[in-house]
Amino acid sequence: MAALFRGSRNLLQRCNKHVDLVLVSSRSMASKTPVGFIGLGNMGSPMAKNLLKHGYPVIATDVFPESCKELQDEGAQILDSPAEVADKADRIITMLPSSPNVIEVYTGPNGILKKVKKGTLLIDSSTIDPSVSKEMALAAEKMGAVFMDAPVSGGVGAASLANLTFMVGGVEEEYTAAHELLTCMGANVVYCGQVGTGQAAKICNNMLLAIGMIGTAETMNLGIRLGLDPKLLAQILNMSSGRCWSSDSYNPVPGVMEGVPSGNNYQGGFGTTLMAKDLGLAQHTATNTKTPVPLGSLAHQIYRVMCARGYANKDFSSVFQFLREQEEEPEKKGD
């Protein structure tokens, strides 16, 4: 009887090992299935390239066909619409400029939800209104798909180096599946809670980023007018209590740092238009929650004025140049 028990136990152990191997194999095979990517702009393109570098076949589309060529040359399959992507991939990442773009890509006539398959994981890395993320999650759920918001922080440089921070909102049980893809594109992946909480974290971060950038630009400008060398001033700030990301990693003064937009006539990076949009989201959510954000509101107005004054397509650190121009205007009027 004991021998029979031992034999049954050994057989059960072998069966369990076989099941484990099958599960591992299926997960491994799933990892090799195509990943859809929609939105190949300044951020989306390098993110999609990093998926390719990690061995994921990428099926992509963008409203501007010229944005697809570089990714296609690196091996991605390019299709004509989000619906076509959804028909061929059961894991899809979107990276789009604004809430209306997200609504169109998901629910429009050629949108993802027209052909999405049941069980598809939809990850939106756009920065949009949290309420829109919740709407998209409900719409996806009706189609049997799962939607998660996963906006990013870090900018174009971090996107290229796969060093982004992802703030993820959605069903916790699906977080592991999302994490597998996001770690190919970022160094930090943080679960924030239910759908919309990723967007909430991103909006708060960008409001602080804008306030910090304006403060850094004002400080550097004042120091320069007081006769301080800008590189020396930046060095002092970065070893003192005034240190922040805008001063030590993304300084807005031309010539202080290499490899940042201020050293390239404020080209590339994170556009002033997008910063104004994100601050508008912060303002909207602050109003809805009756939260006082006086500095956030002022930052929003400054970036809106910059958009109207020709800075819309420049990096948001061009607020330094904008402030310099403001001090020149009274002098011109005095002349």
Side-chain angles (χ1 to χ4, degrees), residues 32-85:
K32 300 299 181 185
T33 58
V35 177
F37 206 106
I38 300 169
L40 301 174
N42 288 340
M43 295 292 291
S45 183
M47 288 167 67
K49 287 177 186 176
N50 283 321
L51 287 172
L52 286 170
K53 289 175 185 176
H54 279 81
Y56 290 94
V58 172
I59 299 173
T61 192
D62 191 276
V63 68
F64 299 109
E66 62 272 17
S67 300
C68 303
K69 188 178 186 310
E70 191 174 346
L71 196 67
Q72 187 174 29
D73 291 343
E74 297 201 16
Q77 180 183 355
I78 304 300
L79 299 179
D80 292 332
S81 71
E84 291 182 45
V85 173

Side-chain angles (χ1 to χ4, degrees), residues 9-126:
R9 186 174 62 186
N10 290 338
L11 178 61
L12 182 61
Q13 288 174 339
R14 286 198 297 274
C15 288
N16 285 338
K17 285 182 179 178
H18 176 69
V19 170
D20 287 342
L21 285 171
V22 169
L23 289 173
V24 170
S25 176
S26 65
R27 282 196 292 269
S28 177
M29 287 175 66
S31 295
K32 300 299 181 185
T33 58
V35 177
F37 206 106
I38 300 169
L40 301 174
N42 288 340
M43 295 292 291
S45 183
M47 288 167 67
K49 287 177 186 176
N50 283 321
L51 287 172
L52 286 170
K53 289 175 185 176
H54 279 81
Y56 290 94
V58 172
I59 299 173
T61 192
D62 191 276
V63 68
F64 299 109
E66 62 272 17
S67 300
C68 303
K69 188 178 186 310
E70 191 174 346
L71 196 67
Q72 187 174 29
D73 291 343
E74 297 201 16
Q77 180 183 355
I78 304 300
L79 299 179
D80 292 332
S81 71
E84 291 182 45
V85 173
D87 191 45
K88 294 186 178 296
D90 58 12
R91 292 179 294 178
I92 301 171
I93 298 168
T94 51
M95 185 53 147
L96 304 162
S98 65
S99 296
N101 299 120
V102 170
I103 293 169
E104 176 68 18
V105 162
Y106 278 89
T107 65
N110 294 306
I112 292 169
L113 298 183
K114 290 296 181 184
K115 290 194 175 181
V116 71
K117 294 176 278 190
K118 286 187 178 180
T120 295
L121 177 61
L122 305 169
I123 303 172
D124 180 40
S125 288
S126 318

Side-chain angles (χ1 to χ4, degrees), residues 19 59 91 157 183 205 238 316:
V19 170
I59 299 173
R91 292 179 294 178
T183 51
N205 177 79
N238 293 334
F316 82 107

